Amino acid sequence: MAAEGRDSPYFSTLPEGCISSIVSLTSPADVCRLMSVSPDFKSVCDSNVVWASFLPLDCRQIASRSFSSLKELYFSLCNEPVLISDGKMSFSLDRHSGKKCIMPSARGLSITWGDTPMYWSWYRMPNSRFAEIAELTKVWWLEIKGTISSCMLSLGTLYAAYLVFNFTEIFHGFDFESIEVGVGFTSDEGGKCERLVYLSTGNNTPGRQSRLRSRGMMIRHAIYRREVELGEFLTTDGEDREVEISVLETKGQTWKARLVVEGIEIRPKDGKEKCLYAGRV
């Protein structure tokens, strides 16, 4: 900004429409910062013109209720994922960038023997966004796969896929067995980029106390959101491609049990910076 008395005007003296156009070229995090350092810009930063530029075009159809402003809609989609595809997926926005995030639930994935009660069981977990989660009873052959169309995601974005899971207190077979994971486009000749991970070392996010069923009993344990990165991929403009994700352990001779699968979350990998004022709607 120019100092008072000079030929150049203050930024705040520009027409509101001009300021809105300039602010719209930034990011949601930048807008929140601008509001915090310059209250004079609050009306512009709260305007629908600005927040319309951060919202994907199909967001208004996805939203399950009406909102007083597009800013309120934006942060609702950041904080409260919306169920789509008959409840088998959730849709949300990355708070920092406004990019789309998609999470297929366990029911939206292909789980080998998933519908066989002696191998997998299904039930409601109180703090899950989905109607059901899957618990592994006992198998040697672990195979979980999922696919998603890249057109459901934001274009020109580096994404990563994460298995969202947990263990019950009596899990076994995962301490020393590595799991083969992979993410990639089905049309690529080179196939998926595959690597090995250990689920027992996945990141934990503490949650509240809850109960999980296990062998007909209710056991008390702390709910944690564990997640492990499965791989990454880049969406490109003008192409609709199928992304395939896999989690496999088919070579070992160890019984595996009590893995709890909520789904696979696909979110932007470069949107890690948090907006300190994002909760103000």
Side-chain angles (χ1 to χ4, degrees), residues 136-155:
L136 173 61
T137 304
K138 191 175 184 181
V139 296
W140 272 4
W141 187 288
L142 176 67
E143 186 173 26
I144 302 172
K145 292 185 177 182
T147 59
I148 184 172
S149 173
S150 65
C151 70
M152 298 183 69
L153 304 168
S154 298
L155 301 179

Side-chain angles (χ1 to χ4, degrees), residues 35 58 63-64 69 71 77 86 96 101 103 123 129-130 141 148 153 167 191 201 208 218 220 223 229 236 266 278:
M35 284 192 297
D58 53 355
S64 57
S69 68
K71 179 184 175 184
L77 291 173
D86 298 324
H96 171 70
C101 305
M103 183 175 176
Y123 53 88
R129 68 188 66 174
F130 300 113
W141 187 288
I148 184 172
L153 304 168
F167 294 115
T201 60
R208 59 182 177 173
M218 298 297 288
R220 187 78 175 177
I223 293 297
E229 184 177 331
T236 55
I266 303 168

